Every structure is written in structure tokens, then in C-alpha cells.
Amino acid sequence: MLDIKRIRNDFDQVVKQLEVRGVDKQELDDVLAYDQERRDKIAKAEKLKNQRNTVSKEIAELKRNKEDADDKVAEMKTVGEEISQIDNDIKELDDKIHYIMARIPNIAHESVPVGEDEDENVEVRRWGQAEDKGFTPKAHYEIGEDLGILDFERGAKVSGSRFLYYVGLGARLERAVFNFMLDQHQKEGYQEMLTPYLVNDKTMYGTGQYPKFKEDVFKMDDEERDFTLIPTAEVPLTNYYADEIIPGENLPIYFTAFSPCFRSEAGSAGRDTRGLIRLHQFHKVEMVKFANPENSYDELEKMTANAENILQELNLPYRVITLCTGDMGFSAAKTYDVEVWIPAQDTYREISSCSNTEDFQARRAKIRYRNADGKPELVHTLNGSGLAVGRTVAAILENYQNEDGSVTIPEALVPYMGGVAEITKDNAKGI
């Protein structure tokens, strides 16, 4: 959430900065008007409360002197009712302000390119070269189904579309990938966590999923508890320090966690209906950082490099792009997307997003640290995929496929596969 003082004190600049993120100026006009009305009412309430305190002393003095205080008592009853009404008005204005503010996205960092959609994202660098195998590459889902290691048909039977079973060495490969990622991130200084997979509404609000994006998640049908299945481990990891003050000397703090992720994929009908790219349930290794505001952008560069390192170790070609203002996520101030090469689609596909949200999430979740002067200050939070596991498996199957339908295991993963260096129809069951 943005600081309302920023809107109040630098209104024209904020309007300009949010216009490129799709925010209607009228929303900011409304916030400013409600805020001014609220402050006026607070001032009036304070004046009436001071008046009540003064007259209350006069009433007490009259009563001590056994003098008539009825008129003043009646007057203060009216003043009390007026104060109560003003307090109610202030509460209503607070709600109106919060309703709008909770739906306004973060302001983009000055280095973020201005653009309307993904076509205006800016490529930063590429790594690796797509190999010409001398045959037409198959899609990962065809490879997986032919080998018997991905079963989408039974996944749909049991749960519906965009669910699957990993079978035999398919399941072993998925496990190998996320164990490898966790080990790499531990070497880079991330503390491994295992988080809750169900969180409450306050937690979803803290990272910016609620209230604007409720249609994108799976919410439990439970009248007694406000549980939601996590869309990413970013949610419980970032909220680990919600409503707390972190000792400044502890920063930066690095967390990593493997988790299932659950997404309704609202609005994605017809997109990536086959395969591992867009599922309702998938696995991801997440990276989260809590950083000092002065160096949070250095930490973003490091986090992006940590995601890239996984792909380099697996020898998977990729590119890094900077998302433009119209393509960034709601909470982000700056985002790098890492996109892996998918041969069957002859294109790069997102496999990681690394974002600095600055103090946007910290303000919502009330996460602070003590600065050098010992004063509480909002921390900067960062998050990134390190990586999306299913998409990594898809990239491995496509980039390491052989003409006979087998798949070579990347060298870095062979120890995690129990020494298996290739998946074939003969060993695919893994038993």
C-alpha cells in the first residue's frame, strides 16, 4: 500500500506515476477529498473534546459549590452526541480511503520502462544457445506422455483440467529439481523454511493478493475460518515478520521454501491448456528477502542472479527482461522476468519473476526494522521464483530430448536422480 502522505504532499507527481500503471486520476482525487474531510473532522472533534473537558471541570466546580449545572450538563450531552457522530463519520471516511488505497498498485521505480503490455518489456541479457538437434522437437507433454511419466488424463479424471500425475521417474525428476534448487539457494545464504499452505485473509492482504485478486485463488468454503490455499510461498514467507520489528543488524534476511501453489488461473481460458506451463496446482521454490531500503535494489540484482544460476547449472538457455509498467505485478516497484527457452514453442517462457516491492507490502503487513538511530522504519521486501519447478521440468524435457524419445538428465541432477542419467521407456517406471 502506498503512503497517503505521499499522495497528499506530491499529488501531481503521484498521479503521473500511477497513470502509467492504469490508475484513474479520479480515484486519487477521491482519496485526497476523503482525506481532507477526515482531517477536518478530526480537528473539529478535537476542538469539541477540548471544550467538553473544559466545561466538565466547570460542571464539577458548580456541583462542589452546590450551584445549578443542568444547562451545562445538557450542553455537554449535545456535544457528546456530536462527537460520537463525527467519530462515526471518520470511521466511514477511513473505510472509503482504505477501499481505494488497498486497490492502488505500487509506483514503479524510475528505471522501469513505461509501456502498456508485455510487448513493451525490455530484454536485458541472454545466456546459452538453443541447440539445433537436427529433428523437430516434441512438446514436453508429448514427451512425458510417450514415456509414461506425465499422466494428464488421469489427473483430469480425478481433479479436472490442469491437474496431472507425475509417474515414476517423472515424479523423481520433479523431486530432484526442487531439492537441487533448495540446495543451491542454501549455498547462497538463504534459510530454508517449510511454510503453512493455508493462510488467513490478513496474510493474503499483507502481500497484496487481497482484496483485488480474490478471483485468482482457491478460497476454502469454511464459514468459521478464512482460509485460502497459498498461490505462492511468497505469502507465508513475507508475512513471517508481519506486525513485528526486525533488529536492523539482522538485515538482509534471506528465506527460501518449496511449496505447492494453487491458482484458479482466472482470465487465462484457452491459454496453455496442455502441459505444465499453466496448472491449478504446481510446485515452486520461492526466494524472499527483507532488506534495508538503501540497498534493496542491489539485493534485487543478487536475487535475479540466484534464479539465473539454477538455469546455468542446468545448462538451459534463457533471457532476462525488465517488465514495463503495464505488465508488472500489483505490488512490484520493479520486476525482472527470467524466461527459459522452450524449443517446441520456439520461444522463451517465464520461469521466474524477481521483484522489489520496496515498502509496499511492509506497510500492509506492518513489517518494520530499527534503523541506525533505533527508530522503527518500514523494511523493503523482495520475492522471486527460484524456480517454478514444473516449468523447469518442461524445459528439461524439451531441451534434453533425444530423437528416439528418451530424455538425458542434466549432469547437475544425476546425483539427485540416484545416478539415473537418462529416462527411457524401459526405466521410466523408476522401479
Side-chain angles (χ1 to χ4, degrees), residues 156-185:
K157 176 183 69 175
V158 170
S159 299
S161 63
R162 302 195 184 189
F163 290 91
L164 83 153
Y165 285 92
Y166 288 86
V167 181
L169 289 185
R172 182 67 182 264
L173 179 59
E174 178 96 351
R175 177 159 57 95
V177 167
F178 65 69
N179 280 330
F180 169 71
M181 291 176 183
L182 289 170
D183 286 350
Q184 289 296 305
H185 293 323

Side-chain angles (χ1 to χ4, degrees), residues 93-362:
L93 288 166
D94 283 338
D95 291 344
K96 289 178 179 179
I97 292 169
H98 183 268
Y99 181 87
I100 298 173
M101 292 289 288
R103 289 163 175 78
I104 292 176
N106 203 353
I107 290 174
H109 187 263
E110 59 185 10
S111 64
V112 172
V114 175
E116 292 186 4
D117 54 36
E118 61 185 15
D119 293 334
E120 298 182 78
N121 294 336
V122 176
E123 184 173 316
V124 179
R125 56 185 171 270
R126 295 190 181 198
W127 185 93
Q129 184 67 40
E131 180 184 354
D132 182 2
K133 293 182 176 294
F135 62 89
T136 301
K138 291 182 178 180
H140 64 276
Y141 46 84
E142 294 177 306
I143 300 167
E145 288 173 332
D146 289 345
L147 288 171
I149 60 174
L150 301 178
D151 194 333
F152 293 95
E153 184 177 346
R154 289 187 174 90
K157 176 183 69 175
V158 170
S159 299
S161 63
R162 302 195 184 189
F163 290 91
L164 83 153
Y165 285 92
Y166 288 86
V167 181
L169 289 185
R172 182 67 182 264
L173 179 59
E174 178 96 351
R175 177 159 57 95
V177 167
F178 65 69
N179 280 330
F180 169 71
M181 291 176 183
L182 289 170
D183 286 350
Q184 289 296 305
H185 293 323
Q186 280 191 317
K187 292 176 184 177
E188 293 160 339
Y190 291 83
Q191 181 178 7
E192 184 176 351
M193 308 282 278
L194 193 60
T195 74
Y197 302 152
L198 288 167
V199 295
N200 57 36
D201 288 357
K202 179 182 177 183
T203 299
M204 291 290 284
Y205 173 83
T207 41
Q209 278 76 21
Y210 282 0
K212 192 169 184 178
F213 302 101
K214 283 192 175 183
E215 72 279 4
D216 295 333
V217 301
F218 287 108
K219 190 166 177 60
M220 303 299 287
D221 186 11
D222 187 333
E223 294 181 358
E224 296 183 3
R225 291 171 291 189
D226 58 350
F227 282 157
T228 297
L229 288 163
I230 61 171
T232 164
E234 170 201 341
V235 177
L237 285 177
T238 303
N239 280 278
Y240 186 78
Y241 287 115
D243 301 309
E244 294 187 29
I245 299 176
I246 304 169
E249 61 270 19
N250 291 359
L251 298 179
I253 295 171
Y254 295 5
F255 286 158
T256 188
F258 159 81
S259 79
C261 304
F262 304 90
R263 299 186 186 178
S264 70
E265 293 294 346
S268 65
R271 297 176 60 194
D272 300 309
T273 55
R274 296 191 66 186
L276 300 172
I277 300 298
R278 198 177 296 276
L279 297 169
H280 290 311
Q281 175 190 315
F282 60 94
H283 294 135
K284 185 152 67 83
V285 172
E286 187 74 8
M287 301 176 289
V288 162
K289 291 185 177 184
F290 302 88
N292 189 297
E294 282 71 34
N295 54 29
S296 65
Y297 278 94
D298 291 336
E299 294 297 339
L300 176 61
E301 299 297 327
K302 293 177 185 177
M303 176 179 280
T304 307
N306 297 149
E308 292 180 67
N309 176 61
I310 300 295
L311 294 174
Q312 291 178 14
E313 290 292 321
L314 296 176
N315 198 27
L316 292 170
Y318 68 87
R319 68 174 184 173
V320 179
I321 61 174
T322 304
L323 297 193
C324 70
T325 53
D327 199 33
M328 281 200 308
F330 178 78
S331 297
K334 184 174 184 177
T335 298
Y336 290 117
D337 267 11
V338 182
E339 299 182 337
V340 69
W341 179 251
I342 300 294
Q345 297 183 10
D346 193 32
T347 192
Y348 293 94
R349 295 302 301 269
E350 177 197 337
I351 197 167
S352 173
S353 279
C354 296
S355 300
N356 186 356
T357 76
E358 298 184 356
D359 63 10
F360 189 84
Q361 291 179 329

